[in-house]
Amino acid sequence: MLTSDEVERLREAITATIAVPIVGSIEDYSWEAIFHYVKKIPLSDPISGRTKLLHDAVDIRTKTGWSLKTIQLSKLNPGFTFQFVIQRADVVTKASTLGFPGLTVDSPPSTLGEAIIDHWNQKLIQDCNLQGVTNSYEGILCKKKNAIDYVYAEYPLTPLDPAQFAWNWSINRSTGKAGKGLQGTVNGKLTLIWYKNQKQLFKVQTIPEQPIRITIERNRLTPDEYVNAILSTLQQKFNSR
C-alpha cells in the first residue's frame, strides 16, 4: 500500500491533473503518469510506444509491479463490489495451445473455467518474468463522477487455483435460460466473469474496509491560464540549460 508521503503525493497529483482544462477525467495514461509520480519511478514518454505487458508501472529496485486501472463508481463505501476487465481471453481460439483441444463455448462450464484460469495464469507468470516482477499488484483508482472523491485500493496478484472455483452460466432474467456470462465463484463469492461474445474476462473486487480515501477541492484553470503556465515553465527550463 501507499506510505503517508505517497498518499499526499497522490492527493497533489490528482488536484493538479483535475485542474488541467484539457483533461476531462483521470484514466488510462493520466493515471499511469500520476502513479509513477506517486512512487517516484521513471515515466517513459508514450511516443516511444506502450507495451501490452501486464504491469503498467514497475519499480525495478523492489521488483514490484502494478497493473493500473481506473473505474467510475456510484459509491465508494467499504464492501462495495465492482467489476473491471483484466484480459481478453479467447480461450476457444487458443484451446489447443492451452491444452484443451476441442474446447467450445458449449463445453462444460468447469472445463471452460479451467481454460480461462490457465490463460490468465500464463499471462501473469509470463509478464512477471519478462518485467522482472516478484511482487505483483492491481492498483485501482476508484472515482465518483464529481471528480472530487476518490479511493485507491491495492490487491495482490498471484496465480489463481482452478480447484477453488465453481463455474456456472449466468441466467437471463427475461428468458430464464443461460446468459452470456460464465461466472466463477470461490466459496460462493463471485470472483470472475467471462463473456463468451466479447471474450472479455472481468474480475470482481470489493472496496476494502480501510481504503485510502482522497477528497480534493476541484479547481479548474482556464485554457489561457494553463497554456501560459506551461509555456512559462518551458521557457524557464530552456533558459536554465
Side-chain angles (χ1 to χ4, degrees), residues 50-203:
R50 299 172 67 190
T51 73
K52 294 184 179 181
L53 297 177
L54 178 62
H55 303 97
D56 303 294
V58 175
D59 187 337
I60 58 174
R61 299 166 299 176
T62 62
K63 297 184 178 181
T64 304
W66 293 267
S67 176
L68 301 172
K69 307 283 186 183
T70 64
I71 185 166
Q72 183 172 298
L73 301 175
S74 60
K75 299 178 181 179
L76 299 179
N77 303 332
F80 188 76
T81 59
F82 57 95
Q83 306 171 11
F84 57 96
V85 178
I86 61 172
Q87 187 183 38
R88 187 175 190 279
D90 192 353
V91 296
V92 174
T93 300
K94 300 179 181 178
S96 295
T97 58
L98 289 170
F100 294 85
L103 186 74
T104 71
V105 292
D106 297 318
S107 296
S110 58
T111 306
L112 277 167
E114 188 177 351
I116 290 165
I117 289 179
D118 190 59
H119 188 273
W120 166 250
N121 283 347
Q122 284 189 28
K123 172 68 173 176
L124 173 59
I125 294 170
Q126 174 181 297
D127 286 6
C128 278
N129 291 334
L130 288 172
Q131 296 182 279
V133 170
T134 57
N135 308 297
S136 180
Y137 296 93
E138 290 166 336
I140 313 295
L141 185 69
C142 305
K143 56 185 180 177
K144 295 191 74 173
K145 187 178 181 180
N146 62 15
I148 293 174
D149 300 308
Y150 301 84
V151 156
Y152 174 74
E154 197 168 278
Y155 310 91
L157 274 175
T158 56
L160 301 173
D161 181 0
Q164 294 183 343
F165 281 77
W167 294 89
N168 290 284
W169 289 104
S170 60
I171 302 300
N172 187 306
R173 294 181 181 179
S174 300
T175 65
K177 297 180 180 180
K180 298 178 181 179
L182 182 63
Q183 300 179 337
T185 59
V186 176
N187 298 323
K189 180 181 178 181
L190 183 61
T191 304
L192 296 174
I193 307 173
W194 179 76
Y195 290 97
K196 61 182 180 182
N197 287 356
Q198 297 88 3
K199 309 296 188 298
Q200 297 279 29
L201 179 62
F202 284 72
K203 180 176 280 189

Side-chain angles (χ1 to χ4, degrees), residues 28 34 42 64 73-74 159 162 166 174 178 221 224 228:
D28 195 35
I34 287 173
T64 304
L73 301 175
S74 60
S174 300
L221 298 175
D224 283 346
N228 289 336

Side-chain angles (χ1 to χ4, degrees), residues 6 9 29 31-46 48-50 55-66 68 131:
E6 289 171 341
R9 288 176 69 84
Y29 184 74
W31 170 227
E32 294 177 22
I34 287 173
F35 194 83
H36 281 72
Y37 169 79
V38 169
K39 287 291 181 178
K40 299 182 181 180
I41 53 181
L43 176 68
S44 61
D45 191 327
S48 62
R50 299 172 67 190
H55 303 97
D56 303 294
V58 175
D59 187 337
I60 58 174
R61 299 166 299 176
T62 62
K63 297 184 178 181
T64 304
W66 293 267
L68 301 172
Q131 296 182 279

